[in-house]
Amino acid sequence: MIIEIEKGKKYAARFRYTDCFGKQHRPYKGGFPSRKAAMLWEQQEKAKLEGSVVSSETMNYGKLYKEWFSALVKKPASPKTLEKYERYHSYIAEYIDHLPLRKIDERVCQKIIDMNLASPSNCVEIRKLLSASFNYARKKRWMKENPTDFVDMPSYRPKKIEAYNFDDIQLLFELLKSQNSKLYSPILCACFFAATREEVCALQETDITKTKDGKYRVCLDKAMITVKGRTIIKGQKTENRRRVFIFSESLYNEIHSFKTENGILSPFVCCNRNGKNIQPNTVSNTFARFLQQNGLKPTTFHKLRDAFANACKRLGVDLDTTFRMMGHASYKTTAEHYATADEVLIDDAVTRIENALFN
């Protein structure tokens, strides 16, 4: 309905609609210079509502997933995250894509989780997918509540691997260098710059510059990911992940020793013998085989970041500096999950307490 506020000068528009819960609304807007402008606004608003206000009986999960996934693409979300959601959606598509939203309750969600109890990690990822999509439906007022809030999850405790200490790392360095392994440069970057495998693989020579005082400066502002078999070099997800390190010329030479000894010319700091870049999965798999072949303690490439944090703690580097070098989003992650007290620190603490009490 078009309302004439002031004859020949200003107009307003008001209309009614009922949402999916049966609640009536009366949108209103005034101050239009002409009747035509008011009618145009009314038509545009009705068109928006026709596209967004849907019934929980006609909207099924398949349609919800497409709407939610399209919104993620527009944000844009990480390509790796999108690939993960697509993979886990395939696990549940045949069971709930055809179901109307009003029929999807905690009983249905619990059944889906129970079907995947053999792999608790899959249960966690499936719940993330369902919870995120249902939260989107709640935001759009297509559902009243998120049914995954009431789902019982299996206990999931990822396998904890002990972080390397100084002796372990020194032995690892010696073996890598003596065997002229292509992993020598990536391991150095992980242990000195707390670099992840994605950052190591994306590190290029142009990211390292020489300072006026003869030292070198490296900027970790990119990461390499593999999505559907295609390699992508992208910027870091958050500002905290863009880190800068200053290091000496001797460390610069060590990082480049594999390329120097093998006469490799490559734009990548860490590369294969043919000069091509290393894939993140290749780093993990090759590292696991190297540890097994040489009888070293089992660990993962990512766990070298734990070793970096523990080294900082043992050498007295303050938490704020360690936090910034690690690139975490919060101090809690650095303090609780990475920089755990090792046996050397505990032994030192007990010794000091003993001396203080008995002396």
Side-chain angles (χ1 to χ4, degrees), residues 169 172-173 176 182-205 207-208 218-220 243 245 247 251-257 259 268-271 278 283 301-302 304-309 325-326:
I169 293 174
L172 178 62
F173 285 165
L176 287 168
K182 65 181 179 182
L183 290 176
Y184 187 56
S185 298
I187 298 297
L188 286 176
C189 292
C191 292
F192 285 94
F193 309 140
T196 63
R197 60 176 192 166
E198 291 81 9
E199 293 168 342
V200 161
C201 294
L203 187 61
Q204 301 181 38
E205 295 292 352
D207 298 323
I208 301 178
V218 62
C219 181
L220 301 179
R243 295 139 25 232
F245 293 85
F247 57 101
L251 179 55
Y252 175 86
N253 293 332
E254 280 298 312
I255 292 174
H256 287 78
S257 61
K259 292 176 66 175
F268 291 94
V269 175
C270 305
C271 60
I278 306 178
V283 172
F301 189 87
H302 191 76
L304 294 176
R305 281 169 54 83
D306 297 42
F308 175 89
M325 290 193 293
M326 297 290 291

Side-chain angles (χ1 to χ4, degrees), residues 90-108:
S90 66
Y91 288 16
I92 62 175
E94 63 176 304
Y95 303 108
I96 64 170
D97 267 12
H98 62 285
L99 291 179
L101 296 185
R102 66 179 179 82
K103 289 189 176 181
I104 301 178
D105 54 15
E106 63 270 21
R107 180 182 60 84
V108 175

Side-chain angles (χ1 to χ4, degrees), residues 125-260:
E125 296 300 335
I126 289 172
R127 189 188 185 282
K128 287 180 183 178
L129 165 65
L130 292 173
S131 183
S133 57
F134 288 143
N135 280 337
Y136 179 80
R138 286 184 61 193
K139 182 180 178 182
K140 290 289 186 178
R141 304 197 66 185
W142 297 338
M143 299 181 75
K144 290 184 179 180
E145 60 187 16
N146 188 333
T148 60
D149 293 342
F150 310 98
V151 170
D152 293 326
M153 295 291 295
S155 58
Y156 174 56
R157 296 182 180 88
K159 186 178 180 181
K160 289 191 175 182
I161 304 173
E162 184 183 354
Y164 269 26
N165 56 34
F166 283 170
D167 294 335
D168 297 328
I169 293 174
Q170 288 174 351
L171 176 60
L172 178 62
F173 285 165
E174 291 173 5
L175 290 173
L176 287 168
K177 192 165 186 180
S178 64
Q179 297 180 27
N180 193 24
S181 173
K182 65 181 179 182
L183 290 176
Y184 187 56
S185 298
I187 298 297
L188 286 176
C189 292
C191 292
F192 285 94
F193 309 140
T196 63
R197 60 176 192 166
E198 291 81 9
E199 293 168 342
V200 161
C201 294
L203 187 61
Q204 301 181 38
E205 295 292 352
T206 53
D207 298 323
I208 301 178
T209 55
K210 194 169 185 178
T211 61
K212 293 180 179 179
D213 57 357
K215 292 190 174 183
Y216 289 86
R217 178 179 183 271
V218 62
C219 181
L220 301 179
D221 59 351
K222 296 186 292 295
M224 179 180 290
I225 60 174
T226 304
V227 181
K228 298 179 181 178
R230 187 166 59 94
T231 300
I232 301 173
I233 295 181
K234 65 180 189 67
Q236 296 284 20
K237 289 189 289 188
T238 62
E239 192 66 32
N240 283 6
R241 296 299 301 224
R242 302 183 181 99
R243 295 139 25 232
V244 174
F245 293 85
I246 306 296
F247 57 101
S248 66
E249 185 176 1
S250 60
L251 179 55
Y252 175 86
N253 293 332
E254 280 298 312
I255 292 174
H256 287 78
S257 61
F258 174 75
K259 292 176 66 175
T260 304

Side-chain angles (χ1 to χ4, degrees), residues 351-359:
T351 302
R352 283 187 291 170
I353 293 172
E354 181 184 345
N355 292 335
L357 292 177
F358 284 110
N359 293 332

Side-chain angles (χ1 to χ4, degrees), residues 17 20 45-55 59 67 140-142:
Y17 78 93
C20 60
E45 289 301 304
K46 284 183 177 179
K48 290 179 184 177
L49 292 169
E50 286 174 2
S52 61
V53 178
V54 297
S55 170
M59 169 71 85
E67 291 275 348
K140 290 289 186 178
R141 304 197 66 185
W142 297 338

